[in-house]
């Protein structure tokens, strides 16, 4: 199925790409089970594009003004074709909504997705370094450096965000290409909503969640990986954590539990209005802190309070940044 989608993505791009355009997609990396961003400017490179259960990284962050400057050649005038999973497509919508890039410059290609493998889950169960990792329809097959073979069920190896159907919604934006059977995807999603199992954040009281946040964040080493990978973080050199001398020093550098909680509280509040729940922060965290649970919770509070869901549309301005005179105060 995914192989077919990969071929269809390549076929579509071959049709819509024009000289001078950039394609942002995934390609194979040297390590087994790793895929890496591909920035392609030539038609003959389209054949290198892959799409499978290992395409974990979200490419949406490359559309931000800051990241774009690093990948685009000077005087770039073409169109950017970006390939996304539905969850990442919402980050692209949010990038439009945050006015980081005009949607007229982007062709969004959304691929049908039924889950992405959490390599950390698999690596945990292997005795030694993995030298080969392949997928079949339902399983992941690995071989470690000693030649020992392992078989994992895919349904038990998904990223945590893939267990939550809410993350797989398609954006309310009609200007995207969909690769796969969209009707079938929507039906499958509807079924997943109906059979949705309770997630930790669904069953915890606010007090329990607060305790969980404190307990988990006390393991944080303040490496900034969660901040650096976040598609919603685009303040660049204006970030309050990077310019302490020119601003009020909000968080001391010393890694204590208090400083760490404060660091994350600032991030939760800063990012909540444009966090789409893409889960990249959690995936990048070397301490395996379940950040997605916390952001998803803040996100839901935001939706209940303001009727606003980041990433749903391409043109809704963040509620917390767009007060109009005469509007009701919350
Ligand atoms: S959250 Fe949904 S759309 Fe995103 S990778 Fe997982 S299954 Fe795919
Ligand atoms: S990636 Fe993890 S360890 Fe690093 S700062 Fe973020 S929460 Fe802390
Ligand atoms: S905070 Fe985490 S879940 Fe939210 S947009 Fe950033 S990386 Fe994605």
């Amino acid at each position: 199925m995914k192989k077919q989608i990969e071929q269809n993505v390549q076929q579509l791009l071959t049709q819509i790409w024009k000289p001078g355009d950039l394609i942002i997609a995934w390609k194979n990396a040297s390590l087994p089970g790793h895929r890496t961003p591909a920035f392609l400017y030539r038609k003959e490179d389209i054949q290198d594009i892959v799409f499978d259960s290992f395409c974990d990284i979200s490419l949406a962050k490359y559309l931000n003004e800051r990241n774009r400057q690093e990948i685009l050649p000077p005087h770039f005038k073409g169109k950017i074709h970006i390939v996304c999973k539905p969850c990442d497509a919402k980050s692209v919508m949010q990038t439009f909504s945050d006015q980081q890039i005009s949607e007229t410059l982007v062709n969004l290609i959304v691929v049908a997705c039924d889950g992405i493998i959490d390599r950390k889950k698999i690596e945990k169960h292997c005795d030694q370094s993995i030298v080969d990792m392949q997928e079949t329809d339902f399983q992941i097959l690995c071989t470690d450096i000693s030649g020992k073979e392992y078989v994992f069920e895919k349904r038990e190896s998904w990223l945590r965000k893939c267990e939550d159907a809410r993350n797989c919604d398609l954006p309310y934006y009609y200007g995207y290409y969909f690769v796969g059977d969209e009707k079938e995807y929507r039906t499958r999603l509807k079924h997943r909503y109906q059979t949705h199992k309770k997630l930790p954040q669904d069953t915890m009281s606010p007090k329990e969640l607060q305790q969980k946040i404190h307990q988990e964040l006390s393991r944080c080493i303040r490496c900034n990986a969660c901040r650096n990978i976040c598609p919603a973080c685009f303040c660049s050199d204006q970030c309050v954590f990077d310019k302490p001398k020119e601003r009020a020093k909000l968080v001391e550098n010393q890694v204590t539990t208090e400083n760490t909680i404060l660091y994350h509280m600032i991030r939760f509040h800063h990012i909540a209005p444009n966090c789409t729940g893409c889960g990249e922060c959690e995936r990048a965290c070397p301490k395996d802190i379940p950040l997605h649970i916390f952001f998803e919770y803040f996100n839901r509070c935001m939706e209940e309070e303001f009727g606003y869901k980041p990433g749903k549309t391409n043109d809704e301005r963040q509620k917390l940044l767009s007060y109009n005179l005469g509007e009701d105060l919350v």
Side-chain angles (χ1 to χ4, degrees), residues 58-306:
S58 164
L59 305 170
K61 68 177 183 149
Y62 294 106
L63 294 182
N64 285 343
E65 211 172 319
R66 174 183 55 161
N67 294 321
R68 224 164 60 230
Q69 279 165 7
E70 284 171 23
I71 57 167
L72 290 181
H75 314 301
F76 177 79
K77 291 268 184 296
K79 198 133 189 168
I80 302 176
H81 309 271
I82 183 164
V83 185
C84 287
K85 307 182 288 287
C87 51
D88 306 337
K90 284 188 282 195
S91 301
V92 173
M93 290 297 107
Q94 192 57 34
T95 309
F96 294 151
S97 176
D98 288 334
Q99 301 179 348
Q100 285 291 299
I101 187 168
S102 160
E103 63 193 73
T104 58
L105 301 176
V106 180
N107 265 338
L108 175 60
I109 296 144
V110 184
V111 286
C113 171
D114 55 5
I116 294 292
I117 295 301
D118 183 346
R119 269 195 317 274
K120 284 190 250 176
K121 269 190 197 164
I122 287 188
E123 282 161 5
K124 236 188 274 177
H125 290 100
C126 294
D127 299 334
Q128 298 194 49
S129 310
I130 297 168
V131 291
D132 189 40
M133 199 184 279
Q134 305 292 337
E135 71 171 308
T136 65
D137 284 348
F138 301 107
Q139 291 176 325
I140 300 294
L141 315 175
C142 296
T143 311
D144 76 13
I145 199 162
S146 70
K148 186 172 171 186
E149 293 177 347
Y150 307 80
V151 179
F152 299 95
E153 296 304 317
K154 273 185 175 175
R155 64 171 185 273
E156 284 158 21
S157 314
W158 298 138
L159 288 165
R160 193 184 343 253
K161 68 173 176 177
C162 304
E163 291 164 12
D164 186 351
R166 289 172 293 207
N167 293 321
C168 312
D169 280 336
L170 292 171
Y172 286 75
Y173 171 74
Y174 296 102
Y176 60 83
Y177 294 90
F178 189 84
V179 181
D181 182 340
E182 187 164 348
K183 199 169 161 211
E184 195 261 331
Y185 181 83
R186 286 185 186 276
T187 310
R188 199 153 31 98
L189 196 56
K190 212 164 147 191
H191 176 72
R192 284 185 58 202
Y193 262 98
Q194 283 158 358
T195 55
H196 179 75
K197 65 174 188 208
K198 290 245 183 275
L199 299 166
Q201 63 271 42
D202 294 326
T203 55
M204 278 186 243
S205 67
K207 185 86 197 145
E208 285 168 332
L209 189 73
Q210 190 187 20
Q211 279 166 355
K212 172 105 176 135
I213 289 176
H214 278 244
Q215 181 197 351
E216 295 284 359
L217 292 183
S218 62
R219 296 189 289 113
C220 169
I221 51 171
R222 295 258 305 276
C223 67
N224 276 332
C226 52
R227 182 198 66 165
N228 296 346
I229 202 151
C230 175
C233 257
F234 48 74
C235 295
S236 189
D237 56 354
Q238 299 302 314
C239 178
V240 290
F241 303 124
D242 288 343
K243 288 254 177 166
K245 280 192 195 135
E246 292 160 35
R247 290 159 184 268
K249 195 159 186 166
L250 291 173
V251 188
E252 296 291 335
N253 289 339
Q254 201 185 4
V255 182
T256 61
T257 306
E258 288 73 21
N259 286 341
T260 300
I261 302 279
L262 182 58
Y263 167 88
H264 285 284
M265 285 302 141
I266 292 171
R267 257 185 62 70
F268 286 153
H269 285 91
H270 192 190
I271 294 299
N274 49 1
C275 164
T276 59
C278 72
E280 282 293 271
C281 46
E282 175 170 317
R283 192 180 65 76
C285 177
K287 301 299 282 183
D288 222 5
I289 295 173
L291 291 161
H292 179 247
I293 293 181
F294 310 145
F295 277 110
E296 199 278 334
Y297 177 80
F298 278 89
N299 208 255
R300 217 178 319 155
C301 294
M302 173 82 86
E303 195 178 0
E304 282 163 15
E305 200 65 49
F306 298 98

Side-chain angles (χ1 to χ4, degrees), residues 17 21-27 36-42 45 49 57-63 67-68 70-73 80-82:
W17 179 90
D21 287 356
L22 164 68
I23 295 169
I24 308 180
W26 298 275
K27 64 177 181 181
T36 189
F39 305 105
L40 311 174
Y41 290 94
R42 301 182 322 164
D45 294 335
I49 292 173
I57 189 165
S58 164
L59 305 170
K61 68 177 183 149
Y62 294 106
L63 294 182
N67 294 321
R68 224 164 60 230
E70 284 171 23
I71 57 167
L72 290 181
I80 302 176
H81 309 271
I82 183 164

